[in-house]
Amino acid sequence: MGYAKERGKLEKLSENINGLAIYNEKSLAILNDSYEKYSHSVRILKNKVPDLFGSLYENELQDIKKGRKLLKESETDELRQQNFLEYKNLIQIALEKTIQVTKDAK
């Protein structure tokens, strides 16, 4: 079963967030959009092959949601910047794991 279409979307998302390093509204909007698109793609993959993508859907999305919540609850600029980078890293890790599963599942 081919996953090239979804993998292409995920790789594009990974490229989009790769250079984000400083918290601001534009960067946050890009991250939130990437999270939404990742969520949609991994849901599609999970529905096609639950055995391969079910754990990514459950675990990675939960981790990202926790990171997003921490960022929203940040009270200082320093903490907000730290949590922004953590949120970005969680999305990046989830993207990389999902891309790798699509490659290994050929």
Side-chain angles (χ1 to χ4, degrees):
M1 178 175 271
Y3 305 106
K5 181 179 176 182
E6 294 304 321
R7 183 174 54 240
K9 291 178 186 178
L10 297 171
E11 289 170 344
K12 181 74 173 164
L13 291 175
S14 183
E15 291 173 17
N16 288 346
I17 68 169
N18 198 31
L20 300 177
I22 298 174
Y23 173 83
N24 59 41
E25 293 302 316
K26 183 179 178 183
S27 295
L28 182 60
I30 291 169
L31 271 187
N32 286 335
D33 184 56
S34 296
Y35 160 67
E36 295 297 329
K37 288 178 180 175
Y38 169 75
S39 175
H40 180 74
S41 290
V42 81
R43 189 175 307 115
I44 289 169
L45 293 168
K46 177 198 66 104
N47 289 339
K48 286 182 181 179
V49 188
D51 294 345
L52 289 176
F53 299 100
S55 65
L56 289 168
Y57 178 78
E58 293 171 9
N59 300 327
E60 301 306 317
L61 279 181
Q62 291 305 313
D63 289 346
I64 294 170
K65 287 178 185 178
K66 289 176 190 173
R68 186 176 182 178
K69 183 178 178 190
L70 282 174
L71 177 59
K72 285 183 178 182
E73 294 173 350
S74 302
E75 295 182 6
T76 65
D77 288 342
E78 185 178 319
L79 192 56
R80 193 170 295 115
Q81 175 65 33
Q82 179 183 342
N83 289 334
F84 173 79
L85 293 175
E86 180 62 25
Y87 178 46
K88 176 196 163 218
N89 288 335
L90 290 168
I91 295 172
Q92 190 72 46
I93 290 167
L95 287 166
E96 290 169 5
K97 284 182 180 180
T98 309
I99 289 167
Q100 190 59 49
V101 171
T102 63
K103 288 179 180 178
D104 293 345
K106 289 183 180 178

